[in-house]
Amino acid sequence: LPISLLPRGARAQAAPSRVVNVRDHGARADGSTDDSRAIATAIQAAGALGDGATVVLPAGRYLLRTVTQVRARSIYTKAESGIDLARIGYTVKAHVLLNGLRNLTLLGEPGTMLVLKDATASGIALERCESVTIENIALDYDPLPFTQGVVVGVNEAARTFDWKVDAGFVEPPNGYLALSFDPVGDSNPRGLGFCNIFDAGGALRFGAGNGGDVPLREMRERGGGLYSCVSDLPLRELAS
């Protein structure tokens, strides 16, 4: 058995724990309680322990309703005269934000699930972190941040295509193709939505694999689960 030999009169000092359990900070993991604050507090506590800390999320469904939003800094450290690096950056919006952490582990178990309630926010975002590990944590959105259906018509000249929502998937709500921020100065909003289109066999026909996602400028509801989308790109490949 291992022993530790100490000088007479000395007292053993227990090494500080490097493990923080989100349950000890109030997380319920019951699928209905908002565990956002508990997880954020646990991460802050782990960060205060210094390098090598671990945040443990035991198995369960952690509902996350609250979103954290910060301004991310530019990756650049130098610029030509007249360029203000303080104005260059973008907004980070996430359910779980890891900010300025080093050598941290976010550790789940089989059955650990984060249920995300804001479809406009990331699940887990890292800003200015180094050597952060995330293990055994599944993410799910409720409601889903996407929908799917079948293309039923293409108008190449107008750069539009019609599609019908598949059974079991939600119809796009108002503002589904909402305007997003400009990556430089949060001005001049631009269209955000995009899609990938597959053939009947499941092969990617038009999208990320051949020139990037299809950016959508507008989507018009036609009733009965049918929608017409306006693309920013020519639809020659799709029309063929």
Side-chain angles (χ1 to χ4, degrees):
L1 296 176
I3 62 172
S4 176
L5 299 179
L6 300 172
R8 184 183 297 274
R11 299 180 62 185
Q13 298 292 324
S17 173
R18 294 284 180 178
V19 177
V20 178
N21 192 316
V22 297
R23 295 291 186 96
D24 295 334
H25 289 264
R28 301 289 295 275
D30 57 11
S32 58
T33 303
D34 186 0
D35 286 326
S36 304
R37 183 177 179 81
I39 292 176
T41 302
I43 291 172
Q44 291 174 358
L49 294 175
D51 289 3
T54 297
V55 178
V56 175
L57 292 87
R61 292 178 63 84
Y62 297 85
L63 187 71
L64 304 182
R65 294 186 182 277
T66 306
V67 168
T68 301
Q69 186 167 306
V70 298
R71 181 73 177 175
R73 291 177 293 164
S74 167
I75 62 174
Y76 301 104
T77 58
K78 295 182 180 180
E80 293 183 1
S81 177
I83 298 178
D84 184 3
L85 288 177
R87 292 178 54 83
I88 301 177
Y90 56 95
T91 300
V92 175
K93 184 179 179 183
H95 293 81
V96 176
L97 178 65
L98 306 177
N99 193 359
L101 298 171
R102 285 170 43 93
N103 300 321
L104 179 85
T105 298
L106 206 60
L107 181 63
E109 299 176 341
T112 297
M113 173 77 74
L114 303 185
V115 182
L116 316 173
K117 298 300 290 185
D118 188 339
T120 69
S122 301
I124 302 174
L126 286 74
E127 165 62 11
R128 299 285 168 167
C129 292
E130 181 179 341
S131 300
V132 169
T133 301
I134 301 172
E135 297 183 23
N136 293 328
I137 297 177
L139 306 180
D140 190 19
Y141 279 91
D142 179 22
L144 292 174
F146 67 90
T147 187
Q148 71 179 42
V150 177
V151 175
V152 296
V154 179
N155 185 328
E156 182 181 352
R159 293 188 179 182
T160 65
F161 62 90
D162 297 336
W163 65 283
K164 186 175 179 61
V165 178
D166 281 347
F169 285 83
V170 297
E171 294 196 27
N174 290 333
Y176 191 73
L177 299 185
L179 295 177
S180 71
F181 60 86
D182 181 89
V184 174
D186 280 3
S187 60
N188 301 321
R190 54 189 170 81
L192 173 65
F194 65 91
C195 70
N196 290 315
I197 300 175
F198 304 83
D199 64 23
L204 188 66
R205 180 70 178 273
F206 197 76
N210 52 355
D213 303 321
V214 181
L216 304 179
R217 176 58 54 182
E218 184 181 355
M219 183 162 57
R220 305 163 184 158
E221 183 177 4
R222 299 178 58 187
L226 190 65
Y227 290 82
S228 182
C229 288
V230 182
S231 172
D232 278 350
L233 295 179
L235 300 176
R236 288 188 298 271
E237 294 183 35
L238 183 59
S240 62

